[in-house]
Every structure is written in C-alpha cells, then in structure tokens.
Amino acid sequence: MSGEPQPGIEPGIEVAGVTKLYGTVRALDEIDLRLGPGVTGLLGPNGSGKSTLLKLVSGQLRPDTGTVRVGGLDPFAQPEVFRSLGLCPEQDKFYEEQTGESFVTALTRLHGYGAREARERARAALTRVGMAEHMGKRIQAMSRGMRQRTKIAQAIAHDPPIVLLDEPLTGTDPIGRADLIALVRELGQQGRCVVVSSHVLHEVEAMTHQVVMVRYGRLRATGDIARLRALLDDRPYRFRVEVARPRALAAALVVLPHVRAAEVVDATTLELTTTDLAALCRALPREAAALGLVIDRLGSPDADLESLYRYLIERPGGPT
Amino acid sequence: MKDQVYGVGYRRLPEGRSARWAPWPIARTALTLAWRKRSTKLGVGLCGLSVFGHGMALAAQVLAERFIDTGMGGASRAAETVVHGVIGDVHTTLANFIGVQMIATAFLLAMVAAGLIAEDRRTGAMELYFSRPLTRRDYLLGKLLAAGLVPAATLVLPFVGLWLFAAGMAPPGAVGPMLGLLLPGLLGATIAAVLLTATILGCSALGERGRTVGVIYVVGLLVLTSLGGELPASGHRWAGYLSPPRNVQTIVDAALDAGSSGLLLQVLSSRPEANPSVLLATLCVLGLSALGLGLLLWRVRKEVAG
C-alpha cells in the first residue's frame, strides 16, 4: 500500500501492475498495492473492481498483466497458498441441507485436517463468531445474519494469516454487527492481513483506518483515512463549534491564516472552514479561553470516511 | 499498516500439514448430503430390493435344481444334469441382474450425483472449494469418487455377493465352471459402473439444477434402453447399439465366449439379447463414457481458472 511496509514485516498481499480485462472492459487497470498486517477496508461503488480484485487475490482469476502474490506465492498457480488464506465470499454459497457445523467441518477438512481436528476447529470458529448455540442448525433454516457468521467461521477455522471478507456484515443485527466488527479488529490486531470489502462506510471505519478506494478499476486512494483527508487540500475542513457567543469566537478565529471562513449558523453554533484542521484544533481552545467561553460541543462533519468517500468516489476531482 | 504497531507481526505461512487425500472429504460431503434426501433412501431401497429379488431367485433356482427333483421320491437326476441346470440358471439370473441393476442404479445416481457439478455451479460452492488448497484434479477425483461409489456399491459388489451366494449353494461340481461366469460378469458390472458414473457427471456438468439433470438422465437412459430393446426386433439392428445395457451385455457375452471353457458354453441354457458387433458395442460404451468425462473436464476447466 502507500509507503514501505514495516521493517521486518513481509507484506501479506502484493499486487503489482495488475490489469484485468473482461472483453473490452478494463475491470482493473494497472493496480499496484501492498497490504500488510492489520485490517484494510476495500471501498468503491458497484462495478468499481473490488470483487475482481478479491477474485484475483483469492486465485479465482488470472491477471491479464502484472502479478499477484499472497504470502509470496501466486494464488492462481499455487493452491498451497490457500492454507494461509481464508475467504468469506459475498454470496450465500452453501449446501443448504448441511448444518453449520458440518459445513464448516467439511471445508476445514479440505485444508488437510483430520475429521476430529477439523470438527474441533469448526466448533471453535463457530463459537468465536457467536454461533455456539446454532451450529447444529441446518443452513436452510438460518437467518441471513447466521449464514453470514457461518461464512466467516469457515474463513477463519483454519487460522489463516490472510483473511478476505466480502461484505461480511450484510444481514447481521446490530449486536451481531458489533461483535463481528470486534472480531475483525481482533483478527487485525493479531497480525493477520484482513481485507474487508464493504459499502457500509461507518462499519469499515469502525474496523480500520486503513482503506483502499477503487473507482473505474483504478486506485483512487490508499492509506490512513485522516491523512488522506488532509491530502485533499482543495477541500477545506468544515468544523462546527457549539458555544455561548459564537460571533465573538468567530471574530477571534477568522483572522487566523488557515481559517477561510466563519459562519454563525444560529445563536449557539459556529461553522468554520479551515485548510488546517490540526492548527484549528490547537487555536480553538486557546481563543475560547481568552474570551472566557466554554465550548459545549465541537466536531468536523467532513473529516470522516464518509466525507472522504464522497470527495474521492462520488465527486472525484481531488488529488490522490 | 504503516501507522500501527502490531503485537504479533506477520506470521509465516503455516508449515505443510500432513498430506491427506483431499478428494475423500469432497466425496464424503456429497454422499452425506445425498443420504439426507428421502429420494436417495428410496433409490437405495429400490437397488436393495433388486439385489434381494435376484438373490431370492438364485436361491430358489439353485435349491430347486438340487433338491426338488430328489424330494419327489422318483429317480434322482444325474449329478451332471443338476450341475448344468444350476450353471444355466445362475448365468441367466446374473445376466438379468446386470441389466436390471443398471437401470435401478441410474435412478439412484440421478438422486445422488445429478447435482454434484450442477449444484456446485448454481450455488457457487466451487468458489468456496477452490479457496482451499485444492487442485482441479482433487475436485474431479472427489466428484468421481462420490459418483463412482454408488454403482460400485449397488452393482459391482452385489454382483460379487450374488455370485458367492450362488456358489455357496451350488453343488460342489458346479463351483469350478461357475468361476467362468464370475470374471465376465464382474467386467460387465465394472463397465456398467464406469459408464453410469461418467454419463451422470457429464450430464451434471451440462445442467444447472440437480433435479432437472436427474430427470433428463433417467428418462434419456430409459428411452435409449427401450429403443435399443424394441427396434432391433423390427429389423433395425443398428438401434441395439443405442441401449447401454445391451452394449454392456454384448461385451459380457463376448468375454464369456472368449474366456470360458466349451463345457460352460454348452450348458448355458439361454443367452441374453446382444448386439451383433462387439467392437461397435465397445466403441459405443467407450464413446459415451468419454463424452461424459470430457464434458466434466471441460466444465471444470471452464469454471475453475487456476
């Protein structure tokens, strides 16, 4: 990804100069990417190339040009790479008559485990995703959220260092979603390379600050959300402050060089536009204290992933 | 990535686990899933009934030949006549068994194996399979094993069982000549098993829904068998080659002629209907099997890129 990997840490996934064509359509165009340990969010609108990228990494497709390496191996030509890779596909790809436990056990056995060990691993993985009470249930009787958890369990049952999750939270209830987000974060903290493809931005943001944004088959941005937002210097930050005398605070702040505008929204709300969020965050408490004001609430409505996505994907034009 | 310090760091690829034969879990899953269907149990029942029926017929024939005549109180038949009678009856019953059991096994295969490739394609389970350390060969072998175990269990093993059953009851003098029936019959049962396995998987590779594939397979086999059985009687001898059981029977007959003693051939009371050319019958069987396997290979190569 952006920058060099950490010293001594081998990147889990390396995509170099990869182009994938479907007929005359370029699904991916000259993609270069290095993903190491931790959780990375793969973002982009429908048809942007996310699924193609995951299929290339999981060895289901061969790139037309360039190379894909997973743990140093070619996933297309060397099936042994799948010992270290767990894939949770987007669709519900199950044998409906199987129970969750037998489904995960059967797939885990294909990694070379014996029947007993595969069953133990399957049970542990299902327990980990919160399916302990439902592992004996047939898949056809499972809710969408349960299927989703079962899919994740089969992806992690063999304890892979690289995990690919395609829309892992689809259909899960709020509590289940929180549990799965915590699980994904934990997988990342354990040093696994976890790639999460999703449309739900706030869920990705809850899992990671590292993102890869794809649009029209090309990389739009890669890296830390906050640093990427800071790179968009043609898109000043909006910063909202709730304070007793907004007009006085506006007068004090508008003279600062990085503050482009100050708008008093209502009797207690001030909205500032700045090109340097960090500098504003340093100046704001100082000026408020000088005026004897207490800040009731503050925040930047466009410093989050959603704003970044809006700027880079929905209304592209900024630098990458 | 760059901004975070991880407690563990990148983990090396796990060492290769003890190599287990990957096709077996694939076949086991397929067979376990099939066994859960009521229709599969019905098919197994049908095959079991056929084996039982032929077993009973063998028992009745052999025992009748051996004991009824002497039990009547009249003069006993010559031992040689009894032996000839037993061998003739056993041959007729075993030949009939292969033909009948081929159809019964086709019913069972339609329930067990028609969805092996079709359903994997429809549900996308192939994607999950190939996110494991599997090669195309492992996958193909797994599916072949799942489909092949069915005719092996319903056709080949019962044939051997029935022969042993008959040999156990037969008079001592009949067992030696009956060995001449075993190998050609076993060859026929094996050829039938391979033919059924290859064709059901070929059909499954073409279709997208197991049930539809199964119905088309069974109906197709029945139509070909009846065409091959009826049309030759009305002068269209070429039509006999359309019938897979008839082609198998032709090969079995040829093997019997080639490998058996003159004595055995003399005592066979009846021979099942067969096609005139063994070569053509063999080509038909080989061609159909090759077509099925070819379709299977083509589909898997098409679906699985790596």
Side-chain angles (χ1 to χ4, degrees):
Chain A
M1 220 164 121
S2 57
E4 292 294 314
Q6 293 177 50
I9 291 178
E10 190 180 327
I13 297 170
E14 192 171 341
V15 177
V18 162
T19 298
K20 180 66 195 172
L21 301 170
Y22 292 124
T24 55
V25 177
R26 277 177 187 261
L28 287 177
D29 192 1
E30 290 291 321
I31 298 279
D32 288 292
L33 202 58
R34 295 182 89 187
L35 302 178
V39 182
T40 303
L42 180 59
L43 306 171
N46 289 333
S48 59
K50 299 191 304 292
S51 296
T52 302
L53 186 56
L54 282 185
K55 284 184 176 179
L56 285 164
V57 172
S58 61
Q60 295 169 57
L61 293 175
R62 170 183 271 170
D64 291 307
T65 63
T67 56
V68 179
R69 291 285 179 270
V70 177
L73 301 172
D74 178 357
F76 188 84
Q78 294 168 287
E80 56 269 28
V81 75
F82 295 111
R83 289 191 194 284
S84 55
L85 192 143
L87 172 68
C88 170
E90 184 183 0
Q91 292 161 343
D92 291 339
K93 297 174 175 179
F94 296 141
Y95 294 127
E96 295 289 308
E97 300 84 5
Q98 274 186 306
T99 64
E101 184 186 345
S102 59
F103 169 72
V104 180
T105 302
L107 288 173
T108 307
R109 283 197 73 182
L110 295 175
H111 285 280
Y113 295 108
R116 184 181 294 176
E117 189 177 359
R119 191 163 47 249
E120 282 169 7
R121 281 179 172 270
R123 283 180 182 162
L126 283 162
T127 305
R128 202 167 174 197
V129 296
M131 285 287 291
E133 291 173 14
H134 306 289
M135 62 174 79
K137 205 172 192 173
R138 284 198 182 184
I139 289 168
Q140 62 196 5
M142 286 183 180
S143 67
R144 188 92 194 272
M146 286 181 190
R147 285 164 177 257
Q148 207 66 22
R149 288 162 185 246
T150 308
K151 271 197 305 186
I152 295 175
Q154 63 78 29
I156 62 172
H158 55 290
D159 200 22
I162 298 161
V163 184
L164 308 177
L165 306 172
D166 199 353
E167 301 287 350
L169 304 180
T170 309
T172 49
D173 57 63
I175 294 172
R177 204 171 301 150
D179 290 345
L180 289 180
I181 288 172
L183 172 69
V184 172
R185 287 170 68 105
E186 187 191 327
L187 291 172
Q189 281 160 3
Q190 287 170 345
R192 295 172 212 271
C193 172
V194 184
V195 181
V196 182
S197 168
S198 177
H199 290 103
V200 189
L201 299 175
H202 67 271
E203 288 172 353
V204 172
E205 203 168 13
M207 292 177 201
T208 182
H209 295 291
Q210 299 289 339
V211 292
V212 172
M213 290 191 178
V214 192
R215 184 180 164 85
Y216 299 134
R218 305 194 69 158
L219 284 184
R220 190 76 185 117
T222 63
D224 179 84
I225 296 168
R227 283 189 292 126
L228 286 172
R229 180 63 186 88
L231 285 172
L232 299 178
D233 50 8
D234 64 328
R235 308 265 188 192
Y237 292 96
R238 287 182 294 125
F239 200 82
R240 199 168 270 239
V241 186
E242 284 185 24
V243 67
R245 288 157 48 213
R247 202 170 291 275
L249 186 61
L253 291 171
V254 81
V255 297
L256 297 173
H258 53 81
V259 176
R260 294 261 184 96
E263 182 189 351
V264 178
V265 179
D266 58 38
T268 58
T269 310
L270 170 67
E271 189 167 294
L272 299 155
T273 305
T274 177
T275 55
D276 190 343
L277 191 62
L280 180 65
C281 289
R282 284 193 299 273
L284 188 62
R286 190 177 63 231
E287 297 296 336
L291 292 166
L293 296 173
V294 176
I295 295 170
D296 296 323
R297 184 181 293 178
L298 56 84
S300 175
D302 65 350
D304 57 1
L305 179 58
E306 196 172 327
S307 308
L308 186 68
Y309 186 86
R310 207 168 51 239
Y311 291 144
L312 288 174
I313 301 289
E314 290 183 356
R315 282 180 264 156
T320 56
Chain B
M1 281 167 281
K2 197 176 177 184
D3 309 304
Q4 199 167 341
V5 177
Y6 297 96
V8 178
Y10 182 77
R11 297 191 302 177
R12 292 265 162 211
L13 293 179
E15 293 301 315
R17 279 180 276 279
S18 58
R20 288 174 193 273
W21 201 54
W24 172 238
I26 297 176
R28 189 177 178 276
T29 303
L31 292 173
T32 309
L33 283 173
W35 182 246
R36 293 197 175 148
K37 292 185 208 161
R38 208 173 298 164
S39 54
T40 306
K41 288 170 184 151
L42 192 72
V44 170
L46 188 70
C47 289
L49 201 65
S50 164
V51 175
F52 180 75
H54 283 91
M56 287 301 101
L58 276 176
Q61 286 165 342
V62 174
L63 294 178
E65 288 285 353
R66 283 190 70 177
F67 301 115
I68 287 182
D69 199 25
T70 51
M72 299 292 283
S76 295
R77 290 190 299 171
E80 192 178 317
T81 315
V82 172
V83 166
H84 290 180
V86 166
I87 293 171
D89 288 344
V90 169
H91 168 255
T92 307
T93 307
L94 289 181
N96 185 51
F97 171 75
I98 291 178
V100 170
Q101 197 70 351
M102 261 187 89
I103 302 296
T105 303
F107 271 108
L108 180 58
L109 270 176
M111 286 143 198
V112 174
L116 283 181
I117 308 294
E119 292 294 327
D120 276 9
R121 282 179 63 217
R122 190 176 65 81
T123 61
M126 272 190 187
E127 187 181 342
L128 276 181
Y129 273 124
F130 287 98
S131 67
R132 318 279 142 184
L134 282 186
T135 59
R136 274 197 299 236
R137 192 186 57 188
D138 292 332
Y139 179 79
L140 281 171
L141 283 176
K143 297 299 180 182
L144 281 168
L145 185 64
L149 280 175
V150 175
T154 57
L155 193 53
V156 181
L157 287 180
F159 176 84
V160 177
L162 286 178
W163 184 90
L164 286 172
F165 182 59
M169 288 186 303
V175 177
M178 270 175 63
L179 274 173
L181 297 178
L182 178 62
L183 286 181
L186 198 56
L187 176 74
T190 309
I191 289 173
V194 171
L195 178 67
L196 289 172
T197 304
T199 47
I200 189 67
L201 286 177
C203 289
S204 186
L206 282 182
E208 281 213 347
R209 281 193 174 271
R211 197 168 294 178
T212 315
V213 170
V215 170
I216 291 173
Y217 179 73
V218 170
V219 169
L221 189 70
L222 287 176
V223 167
L224 287 176
T225 305
S226 32
L227 284 178
E230 298 301 322
L231 287 179
S234 57
H236 304 284
R237 296 184 71 186
W238 57 268
Y241 297 104
L242 292 175
S243 165
R246 197 178 167 111
N247 286 328
V248 171
Q249 198 57 63
T250 307
I251 297 170
V252 173
D253 246 24
L256 199 62
D257 287 337
S260 305
S261 62
L263 171 70
L264 176 65
L265 296 177
Q266 280 170 17
V267 302
L268 296 182
S269 52
S270 66
R271 301 292 285 264
E273 289 181 0
N275 291 318
S277 167
V278 186
L279 182 66
L280 267 182
T282 310
L283 283 177
C284 286
V285 168
L286 285 178
L288 208 53
S289 304
L291 180 67
L293 291 176
L295 285 172
L296 175 65
L297 284 171
W298 164 76
R299 172 59 74 191
V300 174
R301 284 185 77 87
K302 193 171 175 229
E303 292 289 324
V304 186

